[in-house]
Amino acid sequence: MLSCINDNATRQRWVNMSRYNHREVEPKWRGRWAAANIDRALAPEEARGKPKAYILEMFPYPSGRIHVGHSRNYTMGDVIARFRRANGYNVLHPMGWDAFGLPAENAAMERGIHPKGWTYDNIAAMREQLKLLGLAIDWSREFATCDASYYKHQQAMFLAFWRKGLVYRKKQKVNWDPVDNTVLANEQVVDGKGWRSGAPVETRELEQWMFKVTAYADDLLAAIGGLDKWPDKVRLMQSNWIGKSQGAKIWWDIASVPEELRAMSPATGQSHARDPIEVFTTRPDTLFGASFLALAPDHPLTKTIAGFRPDVAKFIADCATLGTSEADIEKAEKVGIDLGIRVKHPFDPTWELPVWAANFVLSTYGSGAIFGSPAGDQRDLDFANKYKLPFKPVVLPHGADAATHAITDEAFTGEGVIYNSHFLDGLSTKDAIARAIDELVKREAGEATTQWRLRDWGVSRQRYWGCPIPAIHCAKCGVVPVPEKDLPIQLPEDVTFERDKPGNPLDRHPTWKHTKCPTCGGAATRETDTLDTFVDSSWYFARFTDAQNETAPFDKKLASYWLPVDQYVGGVEHAVLHLLYARFFTRAMRDCGYLDLPSGEPFASLFTQGMVVHETYRATRQVLKPPSVHQDQRGKWVIRGTTVEVTPSTPAAWGGDPADVDRAQRDAFKEFKLPPTWLTPDQVDSSSRPPVIMGTDIPVSVGPIEKMSKSKKNVVDLDAFVTDFGADVARWFVLSDSPPERDVEWTASGVKGAWNFVQRVWSLTEDHVEKFGKQGGSASPPAAVGAAHALRQLTHRTI
RNA sequence: GCCCCAGUGGCGGAAUCGGUAGACGCAGCAGACUCAAAAUCUGCCGUUCGCAAGGACGUGCCCGUUCGAGUCGGGCCUGGGGCACCA
């Protein structure tokens, strides 16, 4: 934008106009930069002493079109990349596409198109839009994760992880839609029902592929301390997610069980009628306040009881309709059922406690069983009160009187002095925990233990549009890896997505899964699960360092030169999962010999940018009459002078389908309904209050200011904006309007400010050139196409 | 429900150690210049009472610590992100 104008005629024209014409300037410089190839990262041996700088923004999912909300992330990375280059760094600033995922299959199902075509079409459109922004990106390294040339390396790495013992198979719960006969993602479960079928969701257990993230739990936690260029909030979220807690395992001996359970137990070996129940607790100091044991609905013992108790079976089924989302499970009303088992208190064998199943106990944490100590835990207290289970307080807050302190509706979760607890009386919370564990060990009723919240990563997806898992199921040899020479296992393209053909298209494909066992040569079937798309994004940053490599995921030397990423920029919504998985994957790649990176940390510095938000607009429901409504070129009924669609009501004289009515009859429509749909900002005139539909006086209701999203239609399309105002206005606005880590609200007044600023900068330079003329060599170095020239422009840009 | 973050004029925000709340900017309004517009320049710009001088209130809410709180402590409220199959 500050670049001098070398072309005299053009300059004269603009000076006369005295106005910055982005429609000429921006394409011109984009073309020059592309021709000079200034954005190409240098190979290490070319760099000759330049320090490296790897700048990366979280790569986009190709959902369709880019709106100005997306542009902030890339603009921030772009500014850093240009600044580093101007400072003499060898900069790697690449771009690619996180291209596998559910939306492509949804589009395929809804519109009868192929996920592959949909995805690559979107990529083509979005690439052109991104280029309009004039980003300093090394496009020679572009790839999409759905390219077989990318995922074949992912398959090879999967096999390497498998050999290293980081891959295993395990039963996992999934959401099952009994009508569509398909596995549902959590977002596809709405109020406990499948989003398409509306049928109550069931949970099923499937044998799934797992990555052993917990093998690195200690290191993933400890290394957070060294990530000093990460935001504190992200480090805290990661620590909490890994969730290391010290506590105790306690084994509760069985006192009595229902007759049916005793009868079905074997005389020797493991038996639910005899084996103690294991629970994990961080508060063994409150053991004397125990009131009950609670098991997860899918605890093995609960399931066994359900075998002869229909009420327990129904309880399990009811819990299953909540789906697998932890948020849904914990928000549900706390309910439980007495399993008819009694256990002995570890410190007093004459004290018997009931064993319940409860919907708030998670089978995925600890042993899937807890002991309830109601006075010290709100959930336990609510549960005890609801089912009239007796309890007593055992922690006396500092300053409280033991004679009068009582717990009714509100638990006391803080620290204090233990009382009502025999040998623990008078101890502090901390001392009582140690003392209780000593006693448990002495009585062989428990032991100290470390518990992690972090679970292993289930990577199996029963979906088509993902990376095929390179495994073969053989009746004789079991599950065997695909030999590396047979990679890639490519997705078949002749698949169908009709709704009435349920399940995974890979699984029902007539030929694809049938193959030979690589071990015995007998008939065998391929694994039809594909990998979680988080796997694709767990190593793409390494692929960018050597994106064209055909024989390996990347050259070890190149990856070791560029990694770690010096500045990673992305949304805080990825603060836990994506970043944690990438940290795991990098360690796994290191330990499988792909990478020379002792720390195993992929991102040295992280920045989480704020969102771009915008007002939302909704049409207010009303009925319109014919003159204000007409049919546009596509045959849709719209409000005259707008693109807002309305629904024709059936004419009074005709009772059939409106689509069948002939022209004359259509003109006879008496009424059109404007439903309360979301409206895009360009359909709304927001200069009047209340805002109205553009070109009409129909009022619009203004909704909350939200993150720009397709579903709320509060998006400003990038193409149209750049055509009207230019990329620099868009870039300047998203950078200047608000601190980068905070949200920025896209407003007309903000755009005007950015526009005025760009104009002012332009006229400043224009005036300068007019008054003082060009300063010969210093303003325009002789080697105008060389790096010096580019560097000078970038310096100007960066100032 | 649990974990994390944010709340200050019309808007973005500033106030670095507890010491004049609203720097700076955007938008807006008024004026100058201009045939006119744009650009530029000047002025006004938290709410409220007042002719004015000046006063009162004011940093999401309540309570506390302090001579003094946007800032420190406790308790809330609202909005946003995440909760392991959206990406």
Side-chain angles (χ1 to χ4, degrees), chain A residues 379-503:
Chain A
R379 275 192 316 201
D380 296 350
L381 180 63
D382 294 344
F383 193 79
N385 282 336
K386 178 166 183 164
Y387 293 107
K388 310 262 187 301
L389 301 168
F391 63 91
K392 63 184 179 196
V394 289
V395 181
L396 189 63
H398 297 294
D401 178 5
T404 56
H405 180 67
I407 297 283
T408 51
D409 294 328
E410 202 165 322
F412 174 69
T413 57
E415 299 202 352
V417 178
I418 305 297
Y419 72 131
N420 288 338
S421 296
H422 304 265
F423 58 86
L424 297 176
D425 281 353
L427 295 176
S428 68
T429 298
K430 191 169 160 249
D431 292 344
I433 289 174
R435 178 76 178 80
I437 291 174
D438 285 348
E439 193 66 24
L440 286 169
V441 171
K442 205 183 325 172
R443 292 169 184 250
E444 298 187 342
E447 62 187 25
T449 186
T450 302
Q451 185 65 49
W452 301 87
R453 214 186 73 93
L454 180 68
R455 307 200 298 257
D456 283 335
W457 176 12
V459 293
S460 281
R461 299 292 181 267
Q462 293 69 44
R463 313 206 183 281
Y464 166 75
W465 194 234
C467 169
I469 295 174
I472 289 169
H473 299 265
C474 170
K476 250 187 273 173
C477 312
V479 184
V480 293
V482 170
E484 215 146 320
K485 64 172 171 51
D486 295 342
L487 299 184
I489 303 302
Q490 296 212 47
L491 289 170
E493 300 205 5
D494 52 337
V495 289
T496 50
F497 284 91
E498 289 115 79
R499 261 204 66 191
D500 53 341
K501 289 190 185 160

Side-chain angles (χ1 to χ4, degrees), chain A residues 736-754:
Chain A
S736 68
D737 195 66
S738 198
E741 68 278 9
R742 297 272 283 265
D743 290 351
V744 51
E745 190 191 347
W746 191 271
T747 58
S749 64
V751 169
K752 179 139 194 322

Side-chain angles (χ1 to χ4, degrees), chain A residues 22-278:
Chain A
H22 63 271
R23 287 176 211 192
E24 292 191 40
V25 176
E26 288 182 355
K28 173 183 163 185
W29 287 103
R30 280 204 306 274
R32 293 239 180 158
W33 294 334
N37 210 5
I38 60 165
D39 301 319
R40 188 179 67 90
L42 304 177
E45 56 275 17
E46 284 179 286
R48 278 198 300 268
K50 282 188 178 185
K52 67 96 181 176
Y54 185 177
I55 314 298
L56 183 68
E57 301 97 59
M58 291 179 185
F59 67 161
Y61 179 80
S63 56
R65 295 185 60 74
I66 288 194
H67 54 71
V68 293
H70 295 115
S71 68
R72 198 170 187 219
N73 177 236
Y74 310 120
T75 305
M76 285 180 188
D78 184 60
V79 167
I80 298 163
R82 285 173 186 267
F83 182 70
R84 283 282 173 247
R85 187 175 299 132
N87 280 288
Y89 284 77
N90 178 24
V91 171
L92 172 57
H93 184 222
M95 182 58 69
W97 309 96
D98 188 14
F100 276 135
L102 266 184
E105 292 196 26
N106 291 334
M109 221 172 281
E110 281 152 21
R111 295 183 235 164
I113 49 182
H114 196 280
K116 184 175 182 178
W118 182 85
T119 302
Y120 281 104
D121 285 352
N122 285 348
I123 289 174
M126 289 173 73
R127 182 192 300 118
E128 289 318 301
Q129 288 189 294
L130 273 184
K131 286 191 171 177
L132 280 180
L133 272 177
L135 302 171
I137 285 169
D138 183 350
W139 285 102
S140 71
R141 293 168 189 259
E142 178 191 0
F143 61 82
T145 56
C146 61
D147 297 340
S149 58
Y150 180 79
Y151 69 68
K152 81 171 182 188
H153 301 299
Q154 188 163 304
Q155 291 171 339
M157 280 194 283
F158 181 93
L159 297 175
F161 289 8
W162 194 352
R163 288 192 294 273
K164 190 82 183 169
L166 293 170
V167 171
Y168 66 101
R169 284 163 60 75
K170 183 189 169 190
K171 287 223 157 162
Q172 285 276 290
K173 280 191 294 184
V174 295
N175 299 312
W176 182 258
D177 187 319
V179 171
D180 282 354
N181 282 307
T182 186
V183 176
L184 297 174
N186 282 337
E187 73 157 6
Q188 296 174 319
V189 179
V190 180
D191 297 332
K193 299 185 174 70
W195 67 343
R196 282 188 227 276
S197 69
V201 166
E202 298 170 6
T203 55
R204 279 204 179 180
E205 294 214 316
L206 295 180
E207 190 84 1
Q208 304 262 57
W209 291 92
M210 308 290 292
F211 279 169
K212 212 172 193 170
V213 179
T214 54
Y216 293 98
D218 255 317
D219 184 42
L220 287 168
L221 181 65
I224 291 170
L227 297 173
D228 55 340
K229 291 180 187 168
W230 282 36
D232 287 342
K233 63 174 173 182
V234 175
R235 297 202 290 173
L236 192 55
M237 281 190 269
Q238 292 250 328
S239 298
N240 290 344
W241 185 265
I242 295 168
K244 182 179 189 173
S245 52
Q246 306 291 344
K249 274 183 205 166
I250 303 173
W251 302 299
W252 301 71
D253 285 329
I254 303 288
S256 64
V257 296
E259 199 43 51
E260 296 93 327
L261 186 61
R262 193 193 318 280
M264 65 200 287
S265 290
T268 56
Q270 289 201 325
S271 153
H272 283 307
R274 287 188 303 271
D275 295 344
I277 298 172
E278 181 182 304

Side-chain angles (χ1 to χ4, degrees), chain A residues 315-333:
Chain A
F315 176 78
I316 294 175
D318 288 347
C319 292
T321 61
L322 284 172
T324 59
S325 147
E326 190 180 313
D328 287 344
I329 291 168
E330 293 213 28
K331 268 189 282 196
E333 194 197 344

Side-chain angles (χ1 to χ4, degrees), chain A residues 36 76 99 105 124 136 146 159 165 180 364 535 547 597 630 643 648 708:
Chain A
M76 285 180 188
E105 292 196 26
C146 61
L159 297 175
D180 282 354
T364 48
V535 179
L597 185 70
H630 76 126
T643 53
M708 281 194 182

Side-chain angles (χ1 to χ4, degrees), chain A residues 469-475 478 480-483 485-486 488-489 509-528:
Chain A
I469 295 174
I472 289 169
H473 299 265
C474 170
V480 293
V482 170
K485 64 172 171 51
D486 295 342
I489 303 302
H509 189 280
T511 56
W512 184 80
K513 69 179 171 185
H514 300 293
T515 185
K516 293 252 185 308
C517 172
T519 309
C520 68
T525 55
R526 291 191 186 288
E527 173 63 62
T528 58

